[in-house]
Amino acid sequence: MKTLRIRLTCLYTMTTGAILLLVMVSLLLFSVRDSRKDRLEQFQVIWSSLNSRFLASGALSHGYLAETEAGHHMIIHISENGIPFLYRGSWNPDTDRLTLIDRALKQAEDQGVFTDQAPVSSGINTTSLMVIEGDQGDRYYAMVSAASTKNGVKGLCAVSLIPPVLESMKETFLLMGVLSVLGAGCLWFISWQFVGWSLKPVEESQKKQARFIAAASHELRSPLAVLRSAADALRDDPKEKDTLLPLIDSECVRMSRLVDDMLLLASADAQSWTLCPETVDMDTLLIDLYEGFWPLCRERSVSLCLDLPPEPLPLITADPQRIRQLLLILLDNACTYTPPGRSVCIRARSCPRQLLLQVEDQGCGIPDDVKPYVFDRFYQADRSRSDKQHFGLGLSIARELALLHHGSIRVSDGSQGGACFSVTLPAQSP
């Protein structure tokens, strides 16, 4: 179970982690796209401002140029009639500054914009957005414009760094890494707890199965040992057959009952128990049950009483044979533990939308600390007892029969010191 828990925890953690990682990568890609879009919009706004001021004033101050370049990682190149403006720049990119300007001007020429020739068709000519490749894997946005003047032509070239993804998203990557580590730890812990909680019923079922097999083996060992001993004795002294054969027969009957009970419970576990539901008149069923069980009680010197209300009991939809089997288990159990001279009572009462059936004995009763376990299989197998006709399976079968009819069964103290088993079954609407 521990190995299974570890494997399932790993599976849940990896599966959930993969889904979350996919979501985070998707968000990261959207973030990168938005970052580049913001950078492009920022460049276009700066270019628009630069070009407007340049066309309006014809020149830009060194202070303005230095502040713009340093603040936005840009290169600004101004020329008149092809002669550069005397400005060294305040920001140095990875690729040589003049190389980038030269590449931008060459791309502008490919679009028909020349900074050393006056525009022919209009007073100002501007390129579309260009992307310049640097020598160090760096990339830049660039735009160039040329405007006619009285003295010829003046040109403006702006080159702006496109921040690398890793650099621009450095803080985001760091945050995602920390969150991923913390998330993996949380996922492992939650998965471990969830898997443990999910496996509890399986583990408990496995333990019950092991206990069931151990108890069944114990119960089967006793009659088998008696049969082997009787067979050996019969082989040694055939004259003892009149004594040994009844013993062998009784042990075979006892083992047959045990096997039948185990098969019933196995059918309940496999949910293969079949019902033949029909409308049942409980007054008639209880009277027949009383008349059939009364001779056995008389043999044991135990009184049997039937307590029915004056009005007819409500009809129920059930399998009459299974209901009879359930009540016979309770009656047999009650008669077994009721001393001679005392009584067992069958009682029935009508409740709202339910039928209450009770079997009460006047035996030694059941201690409160034992009551929660009396319906467990082979519960008595761990205790010494002289009665060999009960294996601790009857009450387990009774509970399964009650649940099969969507009812319930419980045990409480009897009115005269014994035990009272109450079965509640759904009744038909009047």
Side-chain angles (χ1 to χ4, degrees):
M1 294 300 294
K2 185 176 181 180
T3 303
L4 178 61
R5 185 176 183 182
I6 292 174
R7 289 181 178 178
L8 287 177
T9 300
C10 292
L11 176 63
Y12 290 159
T13 302
M14 293 173 61
T15 304
T16 309
I19 295 173
L20 292 179
L21 181 61
L22 181 62
V23 173
M24 292 179 68
V25 169
S26 301
L27 292 176
L28 180 62
L29 292 176
F30 282 117
S31 178
V32 170
R33 186 195 65 178
D34 292 341
S35 176
R36 288 183 173 177
K37 183 179 179 181
D38 292 342
R39 181 63 179 173
L40 175 59
E41 291 176 352
Q42 183 185 39
F43 170 72
Q44 290 174 335
V45 169
I46 295 173
W47 166 259
S48 178
S49 176
L50 275 172
N51 201 31
S52 298
R53 295 184 64 165
F54 177 68
L55 293 175
S57 62
L60 298 173
S61 66
H62 281 252
Y64 175 77
L65 292 175
E67 181 182 354
T68 303
E69 283 196 1
H72 301 286
H73 292 175
M74 293 182 66
I75 299 172
I76 301 174
H77 174 74
I78 301 174
S79 64
E80 186 171 359
N81 296 322
I83 302 174
F85 184 59
L86 295 177
Y87 172 66
R88 295 182 178 180
S90 60
W91 177 70
N92 294 316
D94 294 337
T95 302
D96 182 68
R97 179 184 180 95
L98 295 178
T99 299
L100 293 175
I101 293 173
D102 184 60
R103 291 176 181 175
L105 294 177
K106 285 183 178 179
Q107 282 199 29
E109 291 177 359
D110 293 339
Q111 295 187 23
V113 178
F114 299 90
T115 57
D116 56 354
Q117 299 177 16
V120 177
S121 58
S122 62
I124 182 171
N125 200 359
T126 304
T127 65
S128 60
L129 179 69
M130 301 181 294
V131 177
I132 307 299
E133 301 289 341
D135 297 333
Q136 308 298 325
D138 44 340
R139 303 173 74 240
Y140 304 83
Y141 292 126
M143 290 190 75
V144 177
S145 69
S148 299
T149 64
K150 295 179 181 180
N151 299 323
V153 59
K154 57 183 179 180
L156 174 64
C157 174
V159 179
S160 177
L161 176 67
I162 302 175
V165 173
L166 292 179
E167 181 179 343
S168 62
M169 304 297 294
K170 185 182 297 182
E171 293 184 359
T172 304
F173 280 126
L174 180 61
L175 179 61
M176 287 183 63
V178 173
L179 291 177
S180 297
V181 173
L182 293 177
C186 292
L187 277 175
W188 175 271
F189 176 77
I190 294 173
S191 298
W192 179 264
Q193 298 296 326
F194 177 75
V195 170
W197 174 75
S198 300
L199 289 179
K200 274 185 178 180
V202 179
E203 189 174 5
E204 185 62 28
S205 177
Q206 192 178 51
K207 290 179 180 179
K208 286 183 178 180
Q209 184 179 19
R211 289 196 298 267
F212 182 84
I213 293 173
S217 301
H218 172 81
E219 291 292 344
L220 287 170
R221 189 183 297 115
S222 298
L224 287 174
V226 173
L227 290 174
R228 288 190 61 184
S229 300
D232 290 340
L234 189 59
R235 190 182 302 111
D236 295 337
D237 188 2
K239 296 180 180 179
E240 295 292 329
K241 65 177 183 179
D242 293 338
T243 303
L244 296 175
L245 287 178
L247 177 61
I248 292 175
D249 182 68
S250 65
E251 290 301 321
C252 288
V253 171
R254 177 170 178 252
M255 190 160 32
S256 177
R257 288 185 57 192
L258 174 59
V259 172
D260 288 342
D261 288 347
M262 291 172 61
L263 289 174
L264 283 174
L265 291 173
S267 298
D269 291 339
Q271 297 182 348
S272 60
W273 242 352
T274 57
L275 288 180
C276 298
E278 59 182 74
T279 299
V280 180
D281 182 354
M282 286 306 299
D283 290 287
T284 303
L285 189 146
L286 291 174
I287 292 173
D288 291 343
L289 183 69
Y290 168 80
E291 293 175 349
F293 205 80
W294 179 78
L296 179 61
C297 290
R298 185 176 61 179
E299 288 181 8
R300 299 180 181 180
S301 301
V302 174
S303 300
L304 180 63
C305 68
L306 177 62
D307 182 7
L308 297 177
E311 65 278 1
L313 293 172
L315 300 176
I316 66 171
T317 302
D319 186 332
Q321 298 302 321
R322 296 300 187 186
I323 297 298
R324 181 181 178 86
Q325 181 183 8
L326 189 160
L327 294 173
L328 282 173
I329 290 172
L330 298 181
L331 284 172
D332 183 58
N333 193 66
C335 288
T336 300
Y337 294 102
T338 299
R342 313 206 70 175
S343 65
V344 172
C345 183
I346 308 172
R347 187 180 300 113
R349 293 291 182 269
S350 177
C351 303
R353 304 178 67 99
Q354 289 181 332
L355 175 65
L356 176 64
L357 304 175
Q358 291 181 322
V359 176
E360 183 177 347
D361 61 59
Q362 294 181 0
C364 58
I366 301 175
D368 291 339
D369 58 336
V370 174
K371 286 187 178 70
Y373 309 104
V374 295
F375 297 103
D376 292 348
R377 301 174 185 183
F378 287 113
Y379 175 71
Q380 295 183 8
D382 296 332
R383 289 166 170 76
S384 60
R385 61 185 191 278
S386 58
D387 178 29
K388 294 186 178 181
Q389 300 303 316
H390 293 81
F391 306 99
L393 294 178
L395 292 179
S396 300
I397 295 174
R399 179 178 60 180
E400 296 295 341
L401 288 170
L403 295 175
L404 198 63
H405 288 85
H406 307 288
S408 62
I409 184 171
R410 61 185 178 87
V411 61
S412 58
D413 293 329
S415 58
Q416 299 188 33
C420 179
F421 288 88
S422 302
V423 179
T424 303
L425 298 173
Q428 294 182 3
S429 300

